[in-house]
Amino acid sequence: MLNIAVRAARTAGSVIIRQADRVDGLKIDTKGINDFVTAVDRQAETIIIDTITKAYPHHAILAEESGRRDGEEYLWIIDPLDGTTNYLHGFPQYCVSIAVTRHGRTEHGVVFDPLRQELFTASRGSGAALNERRIRVSNRSNLKSALLGTGFPFSNMSRMETYLNIFRDLSIPAAGIRRAGAAALDLAYVAAGRLDGFWEFGLKDWDLAAGALLIRESGGLISAPDGSSDWQESGDVVAGTPRVFTAMLKTIKPHLE
């Protein structure tokens, strides 16, 4: 299944890159506030689904653009182009994300950056890799030297004040904060030790599933901002190295009361 996920991600990535210099001619639809979809998103998703269904015709699929189709036992969770806004502006930070779950537990995850040809993979219990080389979260032990990633609330502005207060309190001790605009890739960067922690509100299953497995399999931790395990339901997440993760939760929790 991991091999099929990799094949699907690479094929979709080729389509995404071929169209990258023609974005001015793309038809763009608006799904919501600051939430866009293009023909490239849909084409990449179709390729991924076709690749999966040829190999596993009876598996279920949850895809960002086409929704859910029922199936047996396994569920494939697909984001064909995470970072569409970046893609439309020529900002070089976007990826393909594919996860495979069984009875609600993620078994395999793939995050593919087609620009840099970086393939992040993980299988439950087998560790995580970048281009087939084992990766681990960083050994950063506190916020003072940590580089954090985040994402601003772009569609639900009702929590902007809470978010900005958290941003302020984390930015004071941290070495820096980056907002790159592709959550799946941010999570992969935590797994690879490029970021020491990450937090964001309001993400979807297809943003999180593969990246969360990468983090867990590389020695990191992930939870909801209050420390609970309902991050998949809420879409609100905090992730990082064990000690940075703990320090982030301690900083964030008072703002949730």
Side-chain angles (χ1 to χ4, degrees):
M1 288 186 197
L2 182 62
N3 288 338
I4 293 297
V6 168
R7 183 189 307 168
R10 286 194 180 279
T11 306
S14 296
V15 170
I16 291 166
I17 292 302
R18 281 201 304 270
Q19 298 291 332
D21 59 351
R22 308 174 195 170
V23 293
D24 289 345
L26 290 177
K27 182 178 183 297
I28 304 169
D29 295 322
T30 301
K31 297 187 291 182
I33 298 173
N34 299 322
D35 193 4
F36 308 104
V37 60
T38 72
V40 173
D41 295 74
R42 296 191 174 101
Q43 187 179 356
E45 184 169 290
T46 297
I47 287 169
I48 293 168
I49 292 173
D50 287 348
T51 302
I52 293 166
T53 54
K54 283 178 183 177
Y56 302 104
H58 302 299
H59 286 187
I61 289 173
L62 174 63
E64 179 177 9
E65 309 307 339
S66 58
R68 182 166 186 142
R69 63 175 71 177
D70 292 333
E72 301 172 1
E73 191 173 6
Y74 289 93
L75 172 67
W76 294 70
I77 302 175
I78 301 162
D79 191 338
L81 177 53
D82 185 31
T84 299
T85 300
N86 286 349
Y87 183 74
L88 290 172
H89 288 80
F91 189 83
Q93 191 80 353
Y94 44 83
C95 66
V96 180
S97 177
I98 302 173
V100 188
T101 69
R102 181 174 183 262
H103 303 313
R105 185 165 62 182
T106 307
E107 300 289 337
H108 307 287
V110 171
V111 173
F112 179 53
D113 178 346
L115 270 174
R116 300 173 182 85
Q117 289 293 297
E118 290 190 331
L119 179 72
F120 300 85
T121 57
S123 293
R124 187 173 63 86
S126 298
L130 167 54
N131 291 343
E132 301 185 355
R133 298 186 64 178
R134 184 71 181 266
I135 54 174
R136 297 286 296 176
V137 294
S138 77
N139 59 5
R140 208 76 64 202
S141 61
N142 56 65
L143 281 175
K144 187 175 181 180
S145 56
L147 181 64
L148 307 178
T150 189
F152 300 127
F154 65 92
S155 58
N156 181 2
M157 300 299 176
S158 64
R159 292 192 288 176
M160 181 61 81
E161 184 175 356
T162 297
Y163 172 83
L164 290 175
N165 289 335
I166 293 169
F167 186 97
R168 179 198 62 218
D169 285 358
L170 285 173
S171 66
I172 293 169
I177 296 179
R178 304 290 182 262
R179 197 287 192 194
L185 206 49
D186 288 333
L187 293 169
Y189 280 12
V190 173
R194 295 174 178 175
L195 293 172
D196 305 302
F198 174 81
W199 88 99
E200 188 168 353
F201 298 150
L203 294 170
K204 304 297 185 183
D205 283 347
W206 44 79
D207 300 315
L208 290 168
L213 182 64
L214 283 164
I215 287 172
R216 291 195 298 264
E217 289 296 325
S218 61
L221 298 174
I222 184 167
S223 79
D226 62 2
S228 69
S229 59
D230 71 346
W231 53 271
Q232 288 174 292
E233 291 75 24
S234 68
D236 301 343
V237 297
V238 177
T241 75
R243 291 186 179 179
V244 170
F245 167 84
T246 301
M248 290 178 70
L249 288 185
K250 185 176 180 180
T251 303
I252 291 171
K253 280 183 179 180
H255 295 286
L256 306 177
E257 298 172 354

